[in-house]
Amino acid sequence: MNLLSLEEVTVAHPGHAPMLRGLTLAMDEGERIGLIGPNGAGKTSLFQTIAGVLPARAGQIRLNGASVTPGRFRPDVALVFQQAEDQLFCPTLAEDVAFGPRNLGLPGSEVATRTADALAACGLTGLEDRPVHQLSGGEKRRAAIAGALVMQPALLLLDEPSGGLDLRNRRRLIALLSELPPALLIASHDLELLLELCPRVVLIDAGRIRADGPARDVLGDAALMTGHGQEVPQSLTQHPQR
Ligand SMILES: Nc1ncnc2c1ncn2[C@@H]1O[C@H](COP(=O)(O)OP(=O)(O)OP(=O)(O)O)[C@@H](O)[C@H]1O
Ligand SMILES: [Mg+2]
C-alpha cells in the first residue's frame, strides 16, 4: 500500500477554475519527492488539497489507505507553510510547538517530551520562551518545521523550506531534513536543495504533471526544463556525467 495516492485529482479554489487537473501520483512510506513548477503552477494549492484544507474538486486522495476528507484532522500529514509567519500564532515558541500535541489530548509529559525533541531537532533549544514575532526569519522557518515534526507525521509537506534562509541556515536545513524519518514532499524553486534531498522530482505546469522521474533525469533535461520556465541546476550542467 502506498503512503499517499492521488487518482485523477482536480485542484481548484472555490469560485475559480481548476489550476490542476487529472493528477495521478503515488508516494511510498519514507519517500522524498521534490515538486517543481513555475510561480502560480499550483504547488501550494496542491499541498493544501493533500493536507485536507482545500477540498479536491474531483478525484480521490488516500493517505495510508484512508480517504482525505476536508475538515477532518489528520495528524499523519503535516504542512509547513510557504510563509512561516502564517503558521505561528502562540505567544511563545514553546507554546506554539506544543499546540498540536496538546490539541491531540496527549498527556502533559508526552507533550513536553515531544516539544523538547522537536525544538532540539530544529536547533531551537534555549529559545522556548521567545515571543514568536521576535524570532528571525530563519528561526521562524525552523519553528514552523518543529511545529510540524512534533506531530510525528508520516508525511511532511514542505512549501519552499529554504526561502529567505542564509547559506549557513540553508545548509543546516538540508542536514535537518536529510535526517527526518517521515516521507517528504518538498515544493521548491531551490533545485540544488531538491537534488540533494529528493531522489524523485515531479514537474507541474499549465494544469498537469509534465514529468515524474529520477531527480537527475528530470532536472537535467534541458528541453523539458526550459520548456516549463525552469533551468537545469548548475551542478548538473557542470558534471553532466555524475
Ligand atoms: N485562495 C486563493 N483563491 C483563488 N485563487 C488562488 C488562491 N490561492 C492561490 N490562487 C491561485 O491559484 C494558482 C496557483 O497558486 P499557488 O499558490 O498554488 O502556486 P504555486 O505553484 O505555489 O506558486 P509559487 O511558486 O509562486 O509559490 C495561482 O494562479 C494563484 O493566483
Ligand atoms: Mg507556492
mmCIF file of all heavy atoms in Angstrom, residues 3-6 25 27-33 46-47 50-51 61-64 68 74-80 148-149 151-158 180-186:
data_model
loop_
_atom_site.group_PDB
_atom_site.id
_atom_site.type_symbol
_atom_site.label_atom_id
_atom_site.label_comp_id
_atom_site.label_asym_id
_atom_site.label_seq_id
_atom_site.Cartn_x
_atom_site.Cartn_y
_atom_site.Cartn_z
ATOM 1 N N LEU A 3 1.841 5.146 0.760
ATOM 2 C CA LEU A 3 1.549 6.097 1.846
ATOM 3 C C LEU A 3 0.517 7.121 1.367
ATOM 4 O O LEU A 3 -0.468 7.407 2.036
ATOM 5 C CB LEU A 3 2.842 6.813 2.239
ATOM 6 C CG LEU A 3 2.675 8.007 3.170
ATOM 7 C CD1 LEU A 3 2.184 7.556 4.536
ATOM 8 C CD2 LEU A 3 3.975 8.786 3.295
ATOM 9 N N LEU A 4 0.774 7.670 0.174
ATOM 10 C CA LEU A 4 -0.115 8.692 -0.391
ATOM 11 C C LEU A 4 -0.453 8.294 -1.814
ATOM 12 O O LEU A 4 0.424 7.892 -2.577
ATOM 13 C CB LEU A 4 0.600 10.050 -0.400
ATOM 14 C CG LEU A 4 -0.120 11.202 -1.112
ATOM 15 C CD1 LEU A 4 -1.320 11.674 -0.283
ATOM 16 C CD2 LEU A 4 0.829 12.373 -1.357
ATOM 17 N N SER A 5 -1.725 8.393 -2.163
ATOM 18 C CA SER A 5 -2.065 8.204 -3.575
ATOM 19 C C SER A 5 -3.085 9.242 -4.017
ATOM 20 O O SER A 5 -4.034 9.551 -3.287
ATOM 21 C CB SER A 5 -2.570 6.784 -3.834
ATOM 22 O OG SER A 5 -3.861 6.627 -3.322
ATOM 23 N N LEU A 6 -2.824 9.804 -5.183
ATOM 24 C CA LEU A 6 -3.748 10.742 -5.813
ATOM 25 C C LEU A 6 -4.230 10.086 -7.100
ATOM 26 O O LEU A 6 -3.397 9.589 -7.883
ATOM 27 C CB LEU A 6 -3.051 12.054 -6.181
ATOM 28 C CG LEU A 6 -2.888 13.126 -5.091
ATOM 29 C CD1 LEU A 6 -1.914 12.648 -4.047
ATOM 30 C CD2 LEU A 6 -2.415 14.433 -5.684
ATOM 31 N N LEU A 25 -0.683 10.274 -8.793
ATOM 32 C CA LEU A 25 0.644 10.249 -8.174
ATOM 33 C C LEU A 25 0.602 9.278 -7.003
ATOM 34 O O LEU A 25 -0.382 9.256 -6.258
ATOM 35 C CB LEU A 25 0.937 11.660 -7.649
ATOM 36 C CG LEU A 25 2.299 11.973 -7.069
ATOM 37 C CD1 LEU A 25 3.306 12.144 -8.207
ATOM 38 C CD2 LEU A 25 2.246 13.287 -6.276
ATOM 39 N N MET A 27 3.018 7.761 -3.699
ATOM 40 C CA MET A 27 4.221 8.029 -2.914
ATOM 41 C C MET A 27 4.349 6.947 -1.842
ATOM 42 O O MET A 27 3.359 6.614 -1.180
ATOM 43 C CB MET A 27 4.050 9.413 -2.282
ATOM 44 C CG MET A 27 5.246 9.912 -1.541
ATOM 45 S SD MET A 27 4.948 11.634 -1.035
ATOM 46 C CE MET A 27 6.583 11.996 -0.391
ATOM 47 N N ASP A 28 5.556 6.418 -1.680
ATOM 48 C CA ASP A 28 5.772 5.351 -0.696
ATOM 49 C C ASP A 28 6.147 5.937 0.662
ATOM 50 O O ASP A 28 6.594 7.082 0.753
ATOM 51 C CB ASP A 28 6.908 4.433 -1.159
ATOM 52 C CG ASP A 28 6.488 3.554 -2.322
ATOM 53 O OD1 ASP A 28 5.277 3.264 -2.428
ATOM 54 O OD2 ASP A 28 7.371 3.194 -3.118
ATOM 55 N N GLU A 29 6.022 5.089 1.658
ATOM 56 C CA GLU A 29 6.448 5.470 3.003
ATOM 57 C C GLU A 29 7.916 5.884 2.981
ATOM 58 O O GLU A 29 8.739 5.199 2.352
ATOM 59 C CB GLU A 29 6.290 4.248 3.901
ATOM 60 C CG GLU A 29 5.863 4.559 5.309
ATOM 61 C CD GLU A 29 5.483 3.282 6.024
ATOM 62 O OE1 GLU A 29 4.396 2.763 5.715
ATOM 63 O OE2 GLU A 29 6.278 2.822 6.833
ATOM 64 N N GLY A 30 8.235 6.996 3.607
ATOM 65 C CA GLY A 30 9.626 7.439 3.712
ATOM 66 C C GLY A 30 10.218 8.003 2.433
ATOM 67 O O GLY A 30 11.377 8.421 2.422
ATOM 68 N N GLU A 31 9.441 8.035 1.337
ATOM 69 C CA GLU A 31 9.972 8.545 0.073
ATOM 70 C C GLU A 31 10.152 10.071 0.146
ATOM 71 O O GLU A 31 9.469 10.753 0.907
ATOM 72 C CB GLU A 31 9.006 8.187 -1.079
ATOM 73 C CG GLU A 31 9.692 8.247 -2.422
ATOM 74 C CD GLU A 31 8.799 7.833 -3.604
ATOM 75 O OE1 GLU A 31 7.627 7.477 -3.406
ATOM 76 O OE2 GLU A 31 9.321 7.899 -4.727
ATOM 77 N N ARG A 32 11.069 10.583 -0.667
ATOM 78 C CA ARG A 32 11.275 12.046 -0.729
ATOM 79 C C ARG A 32 11.105 12.502 -2.168
ATOM 80 O O ARG A 32 11.865 12.081 -3.047
ATOM 81 C CB ARG A 32 12.668 12.413 -0.249
ATOM 82 C CG ARG A 32 12.845 12.110 1.212
ATOM 83 C CD ARG A 32 14.225 12.463 1.662
ATOM 84 N NE ARG A 32 14.372 12.086 3.048
ATOM 85 C CZ ARG A 32 15.519 11.882 3.656
ATOM 86 N NH1 ARG A 32 16.647 12.036 2.986
ATOM 87 N NH2 ARG A 32 15.559 11.546 4.919
ATOM 88 N N ILE A 33 10.129 13.367 -2.370
ATOM 89 C CA ILE A 33 9.821 13.841 -3.722
ATOM 90 C C ILE A 33 9.920 15.364 -3.756
ATOM 91 O O ILE A 33 9.376 16.051 -2.875
ATOM 92 C CB ILE A 33 8.407 13.402 -4.154
ATOM 93 C CG1 ILE A 33 8.268 11.875 -4.092
ATOM 94 C CG2 ILE A 33 8.093 13.905 -5.560
ATOM 95 C CD1 ILE A 33 6.904 11.346 -4.544
ATOM 96 N N LEU A 46 -1.872 22.508 -4.265
ATOM 97 C CA LEU A 46 -1.850 21.045 -4.199
ATOM 98 C C LEU A 46 -1.564 20.583 -2.771
ATOM 99 O O LEU A 46 -2.201 19.656 -2.261
ATOM 100 C CB LEU A 46 -0.799 20.490 -5.170
ATOM 101 C CG LEU A 46 -0.577 18.978 -5.138
ATOM 102 C CD1 LEU A 46 -1.862 18.212 -5.456
ATOM 103 C CD2 LEU A 46 0.526 18.573 -6.109
ATOM 104 N N PHE A 47 -0.628 21.248 -2.110
ATOM 105 C CA PHE A 47 -0.328 20.900 -0.716
ATOM 106 C C PHE A 47 -1.566 21.090 0.156
ATOM 107 O O PHE A 47 -1.872 20.281 1.022
ATOM 108 C CB PHE A 47 0.818 21.766 -0.188
ATOM 109 C CG PHE A 47 2.183 21.255 -0.555
ATOM 110 C CD1 PHE A 47 2.329 20.189 -1.432
ATOM 111 C CD2 PHE A 47 3.320 21.822 -0.017
ATOM 112 C CE1 PHE A 47 3.588 19.700 -1.766
ATOM 113 C CE2 PHE A 47 4.585 21.341 -0.336
ATOM 114 C CZ PHE A 47 4.719 20.286 -1.212
ATOM 115 N N ILE A 50 -3.814 18.156 -0.462
ATOM 116 C CA ILE A 50 -3.348 16.914 0.167
ATOM 117 C C ILE A 50 -3.544 16.975 1.678
ATOM 118 O O ILE A 50 -3.900 15.985 2.321
ATOM 119 C CB ILE A 50 -1.863 16.645 -0.178
ATOM 120 C CG1 ILE A 50 -1.702 16.363 -1.675
ATOM 121 C CG2 ILE A 50 -1.305 15.495 0.648
ATOM 122 C CD1 ILE A 50 -0.269 16.307 -2.151
ATOM 123 N N ALA A 51 -3.341 18.165 2.253
ATOM 124 C CA ALA A 51 -3.484 18.320 3.704
ATOM 125 C C ALA A 51 -4.952 18.373 4.128
ATOM 126 O O ALA A 51 -5.246 18.412 5.326
ATOM 127 C CB ALA A 51 -2.749 19.579 4.172
ATOM 128 N N ILE A 61 -8.056 11.172 -3.008
ATOM 129 C CA ILE A 61 -6.761 11.245 -2.327
ATOM 130 C C ILE A 61 -6.800 10.290 -1.145
ATOM 131 O O ILE A 61 -7.738 10.338 -0.338
ATOM 132 C CB ILE A 61 -6.465 12.669 -1.808
ATOM 133 C CG1 ILE A 61 -6.505 13.668 -2.963
ATOM 134 C CG2 ILE A 61 -5.117 12.723 -1.100
ATOM 135 C CD1 ILE A 61 -6.325 15.095 -2.524
ATOM 136 N N ARG A 62 -5.804 9.429 -1.068
ATOM 137 C CA ARG A 62 -5.744 8.493 0.062
ATOM 138 C C ARG A 62 -4.413 8.630 0.770
ATOM 139 O O ARG A 62 -3.368 8.754 0.128
ATOM 140 C CB ARG A 62 -5.894 7.046 -0.409
ATOM 141 C CG ARG A 62 -7.278 6.721 -0.870
ATOM 142 C CD ARG A 62 -7.377 5.270 -1.323
ATOM 143 N NE ARG A 62 -8.680 5.024 -1.876
ATOM 144 C CZ ARG A 62 -9.762 4.758 -1.135
ATOM 145 N NH1 ARG A 62 -9.649 4.662 0.182
ATOM 146 N NH2 ARG A 62 -10.924 4.583 -1.704
ATOM 147 N N LEU A 63 -4.503 8.596 2.092
ATOM 148 C CA LEU A 63 -3.305 8.633 2.917
ATOM 149 C C LEU A 63 -3.378 7.407 3.806
ATOM 150 O O LEU A 63 -4.386 7.231 4.524
ATOM 151 C CB LEU A 63 -3.332 9.920 3.749
ATOM 152 C CG LEU A 63 -2.073 10.278 4.497
ATOM 153 C CD1 LEU A 63 -0.916 10.533 3.556
ATOM 154 C CD2 LEU A 63 -2.321 11.517 5.361
ATOM 155 N N ASN A 64 -2.350 6.561 3.730
ATOM 156 C CA ASN A 64 -2.387 5.295 4.474
ATOM 157 C C ASN A 64 -3.689 4.545 4.215
ATOM 158 O O ASN A 64 -4.279 3.962 5.126
ATOM 159 C CB ASN A 64 -2.208 5.554 5.971
ATOM 160 C CG ASN A 64 -0.737 5.692 6.336
ATOM 161 O OD1 ASN A 64 0.105 4.983 5.806
ATOM 162 N ND2 ASN A 64 -0.447 6.616 7.232
ATOM 163 N N VAL A 68 -8.741 11.199 2.210
ATOM 164 C CA VAL A 68 -8.536 12.501 2.856
ATOM 165 C C VAL A 68 -9.839 13.280 2.723
ATOM 166 O O VAL A 68 -10.301 13.559 1.617
ATOM 167 C CB VAL A 68 -7.372 13.265 2.196
ATOM 168 C CG1 VAL A 68 -7.296 14.695 2.699
ATOM 169 C CG2 VAL A 68 -6.055 12.540 2.436
ATOM 170 N N ARG A 74 -6.043 15.231 10.226
ATOM 171 C CA ARG A 74 -5.197 14.054 10.039
ATOM 172 C C ARG A 74 -3.823 14.327 10.624
ATOM 173 O O ARG A 74 -3.002 14.990 9.998
ATOM 174 C CB ARG A 74 -5.047 13.749 8.532
ATOM 175 C CG ARG A 74 -6.311 13.341 7.812
ATOM 176 C CD ARG A 74 -6.778 11.960 8.202
ATOM 177 N NE ARG A 74 -5.792 10.923 7.970
ATOM 178 C CZ ARG A 74 -5.830 10.077 6.938
ATOM 179 N NH1 ARG A 74 -6.777 10.178 6.033
ATOM 180 N NH2 ARG A 74 -4.916 9.144 6.808
ATOM 181 N N PRO A 75 -3.556 13.784 11.809
ATOM 182 C CA PRO A 75 -2.232 14.042 12.399
ATOM 183 C C PRO A 75 -1.091 13.386 11.625
ATOM 184 O O PRO A 75 0.067 13.723 11.854
ATOM 185 C CB PRO A 75 -2.331 13.457 13.818
ATOM 186 C CG PRO A 75 -3.513 12.565 13.812
ATOM 187 C CD PRO A 75 -4.417 12.980 12.684
ATOM 188 N N ASP A 76 -1.408 12.450 10.681
ATOM 189 C CA ASP A 76 -0.322 11.783 9.959
ATOM 190 C C ASP A 76 0.207 12.601 8.781
ATOM 191 O O ASP A 76 1.162 12.216 8.127
ATOM 192 C CB ASP A 76 -0.720 10.364 9.513
ATOM 193 C CG ASP A 76 -2.127 10.279 8.933
ATOM 194 O OD1 ASP A 76 -2.786 11.340 8.867
ATOM 195 O OD2 ASP A 76 -2.547 9.199 8.549
ATOM 196 N N VAL A 77 -0.413 13.760 8.500
ATOM 197 C CA VAL A 77 0.155 14.652 7.491
ATOM 198 C C VAL A 77 0.324 16.041 8.100
ATOM 199 O O VAL A 77 -0.556 16.526 8.807
ATOM 200 C CB VAL A 77 -0.720 14.709 6.215
ATOM 201 C CG1 VAL A 77 -2.118 15.150 6.494
ATOM 202 C CG2 VAL A 77 -0.099 15.602 5.146
ATOM 203 N N ALA A 78 1.494 16.640 7.865
ATOM 204 C CA ALA A 78 1.746 17.981 8.405
ATOM 205 C C ALA A 78 2.264 18.870 7.286
ATOM 206 O O ALA A 78 3.066 18.440 6.452
ATOM 207 C CB ALA A 78 2.766 17.908 9.538
ATOM 208 N N LEU A 79 1.780 20.092 7.273
ATOM 209 C CA LEU A 79 2.127 21.057 6.229
ATOM 210 C C LEU A 79 2.921 22.209 6.837
ATOM 211 O O LEU A 79 2.500 22.800 7.828
ATOM 212 C CB LEU A 79 0.816 21.579 5.608
ATOM 213 C CG LEU A 79 0.861 22.769 4.662
ATOM 214 C CD1 LEU A 79 1.730 22.488 3.446
ATOM 215 C CD2 LEU A 79 -0.550 23.141 4.204
ATOM 216 N N VAL A 80 4.085 22.466 6.251
ATOM 217 C CA VAL A 80 4.870 23.635 6.661
ATOM 218 C C VAL A 80 4.659 24.710 5.605
ATOM 219 O O VAL A 80 5.016 24.532 4.437
ATOM 220 C CB VAL A 80 6.367 23.288 6.810
ATOM 221 C CG1 VAL A 80 7.168 24.532 7.167
ATOM 222 C CG2 VAL A 80 6.563 22.222 7.876
ATOM 223 N N ALA A 148 5.536 21.120 12.985
ATOM 224 C CA ALA A 148 5.035 20.013 12.163
ATOM 225 C C ALA A 148 5.618 18.686 12.659
ATOM 226 O O ALA A 148 4.906 17.700 12.828
ATOM 227 C CB ALA A 148 5.413 20.238 10.699
ATOM 228 N N LEU A 149 6.933 18.676 12.941
ATOM 229 C CA LEU A 149 7.601 17.439 13.383
ATOM 230 C C LEU A 149 7.037 16.898 14.677
ATOM 231 O O LEU A 149 6.980 15.692 14.894
ATOM 232 C CB LEU A 149 9.091 17.729 13.617
ATOM 233 C CG LEU A 149 9.983 17.790 12.409
ATOM 234 C CD1 LEU A 149 11.425 17.961 12.866
ATOM 235 C CD2 LEU A 149 9.822 16.529 11.588
ATOM 236 N N MET A 151 4.214 16.579 15.610
ATOM 237 C CA MET A 151 3.039 15.721 15.392
ATOM 238 C C MET A 151 3.444 14.309 14.961
ATOM 239 O O MET A 151 2.598 13.439 14.816
ATOM 240 C CB MET A 151 2.117 16.326 14.320
ATOM 241 C CG MET A 151 1.610 17.720 14.646
ATOM 242 S SD MET A 151 0.703 17.735 16.190
ATOM 243 C CE MET A 151 -0.822 16.960 15.655
ATOM 244 N N GLN A 152 4.749 14.106 14.728
ATOM 245 C CA GLN A 152 5.271 12.809 14.266
ATOM 246 C C GLN A 152 4.475 12.299 13.056
ATOM 247 O O GLN A 152 3.933 11.192 13.061
ATOM 248 C CB GLN A 152 5.269 11.803 15.412
ATOM 249 C CG GLN A 152 6.121 12.290 16.568
ATOM 250 C CD GLN A 152 6.184 11.329 17.747
ATOM 251 O OE1 GLN A 152 5.469 10.341 17.810
ATOM 252 N NE2 GLN A 152 7.048 11.642 18.689
ATOM 253 N N PRO A 153 4.403 13.143 11.997
ATOM 254 C CA PRO A 153 3.609 12.767 10.818
ATOM 255 C C PRO A 153 4.308 11.694 9.993
ATOM 256 O O PRO A 153 5.528 11.555 10.064
ATOM 257 C CB PRO A 153 3.534 14.077 10.021
ATOM 258 C CG PRO A 153 4.814 14.779 10.358
ATOM 259 C CD PRO A 153 5.122 14.422 11.793
ATOM 260 N N ALA A 154 3.522 10.964 9.204
ATOM 261 C CA ALA A 154 4.098 10.008 8.258
ATOM 262 C C ALA A 154 4.500 10.738 6.978
ATOM 263 O O ALA A 154 5.357 10.273 6.226
ATOM 264 C CB ALA A 154 3.085 8.921 7.930
ATOM 265 N N LEU A 155 3.851 11.885 6.734
ATOM 266 C CA LEU A 155 4.117 12.683 5.541
ATOM 267 C C LEU A 155 4.250 14.149 5.926
ATOM 268 O O LEU A 155 3.376 14.710 6.595
ATOM 269 C CB LEU A 155 2.963 12.532 4.540
ATOM 270 C CG LEU A 155 2.991 13.438 3.309
ATOM 271 C CD1 LEU A 155 4.236 13.198 2.462
ATOM 272 C CD2 LEU A 155 1.733 13.246 2.456
ATOM 273 N N LEU A 156 5.370 14.731 5.515
ATOM 274 C CA LEU A 156 5.609 16.146 5.797
ATOM 275 C C LEU A 156 5.648 16.892 4.464
ATOM 276 O O LEU A 156 6.426 16.543 3.564
ATOM 277 C CB LEU A 156 6.951 16.274 6.533
ATOM 278 C CG LEU A 156 7.390 17.630 7.054
ATOM 279 C CD1 LEU A 156 6.346 18.236 7.985
ATOM 280 C CD2 LEU A 156 8.711 17.484 7.807
ATOM 281 N N LEU A 157 4.775 17.891 4.331
ATOM 282 C CA LEU A 157 4.715 18.714 3.125
ATOM 283 C C LEU A 157 5.456 20.008 3.429
ATOM 284 O O LEU A 157 5.058 20.756 4.340
ATOM 285 C CB LEU A 157 3.257 19.028 2.773
ATOM 286 C CG LEU A 157 2.306 17.838 2.658
ATOM 287 C CD1 LEU A 157 0.853 18.313 2.537
ATOM 288 C CD2 LEU A 157 2.683 16.987 1.454
ATOM 289 N N LEU A 158 6.526 20.270 2.689
ATOM 290 C CA LEU A 158 7.345 21.469 2.954
ATOM 291 C C LEU A 158 7.244 22.400 1.756
ATOM 292 O O LEU A 158 7.622 22.031 0.638
ATOM 293 C CB LEU A 158 8.798 21.061 3.168
ATOM 294 C CG LEU A 158 9.069 20.232 4.428
ATOM 295 C CD1 LEU A 158 10.256 19.307 4.216
ATOM 296 C CD2 LEU A 158 9.316 21.136 5.623
ATOM 297 N N LEU A 180 15.334 13.356 8.689
ATOM 298 C CA LEU A 180 13.969 13.169 9.196
ATOM 299 C C LEU A 180 13.363 11.837 8.763
ATOM 300 O O LEU A 180 13.512 11.424 7.624
ATOM 301 C CB LEU A 180 13.057 14.299 8.695
ATOM 302 C CG LEU A 180 13.346 15.683 9.247
ATOM 303 C CD1 LEU A 180 12.316 16.676 8.715
ATOM 304 C CD2 LEU A 180 13.331 15.676 10.763
ATOM 305 N N PRO A 181 12.633 11.196 9.689
ATOM 306 C CA PRO A 181 12.003 9.928 9.329
ATOM 307 C C PRO A 181 10.804 10.019 8.379
ATOM 308 O O PRO A 181 10.620 9.113 7.558
ATOM 309 C CB PRO A 181 11.577 9.320 10.678
ATOM 310 C CG PRO A 181 11.716 10.387 11.704
ATOM 311 C CD PRO A 181 12.529 11.504 11.116
ATOM 312 N N PRO A 182 9.923 11.037 8.442
ATOM 313 C CA PRO A 182 8.737 10.991 7.587
ATOM 314 C C PRO A 182 9.058 11.113 6.099
ATOM 315 O O PRO A 182 10.133 11.590 5.722
ATOM 316 C CB PRO A 182 7.897 12.197 8.034
ATOM 317 C CG PRO A 182 8.805 13.090 8.767
ATOM 318 C CD PRO A 182 9.921 12.252 9.297
ATOM 319 N N ALA A 183 8.096 10.674 5.270
ATOM 320 C CA ALA A 183 8.172 10.949 3.837
ATOM 321 C C ALA A 183 8.108 12.459 3.650
ATOM 322 O O ALA A 183 7.418 13.157 4.402
ATOM 323 C CB ALA A 183 7.008 10.280 3.125
ATOM 324 N N LEU A 184 8.846 12.969 2.659
ATOM 325 C CA LEU A 184 8.877 14.418 2.420
ATOM 326 C C LEU A 184 8.407 14.716 1.009
ATOM 327 O O LEU A 184 8.875 14.098 0.050
ATOM 328 C CB LEU A 184 10.301 14.971 2.571
ATOM 329 C CG LEU A 184 11.061 14.720 3.871
ATOM 330 C CD1 LEU A 184 12.456 15.338 3.792
ATOM 331 C CD2 LEU A 184 10.310 15.294 5.068
ATOM 332 N N LEU A 185 7.484 15.674 0.900
ATOM 333 C CA LEU A 185 7.131 16.238 -0.396
ATOM 334 C C LEU A 185 7.522 17.704 -0.296
ATOM 335 O O LEU A 185 6.994 18.443 0.544
ATOM 336 C CB LEU A 185 5.631 16.049 -0.641
ATOM 337 C CG LEU A 185 5.062 16.401 -2.016
ATOM 338 C CD1 LEU A 185 5.805 15.712 -3.142
ATOM 339 C CD2 LEU A 185 3.576 16.027 -2.084
ATOM 340 N N ILE A 186 8.507 18.091 -1.109
ATOM 341 C CA ILE A 186 9.096 19.428 -0.954
ATOM 342 C C ILE A 186 8.848 20.243 -2.216
ATOM 343 O O ILE A 186 9.351 19.893 -3.299
ATOM 344 C CB ILE A 186 10.629 19.344 -0.715
ATOM 345 C CG1 ILE A 186 10.958 18.381 0.434
ATOM 346 C CG2 ILE A 186 11.202 20.734 -0.433
ATOM 347 C CD1 ILE A 186 12.458 18.201 0.671
#
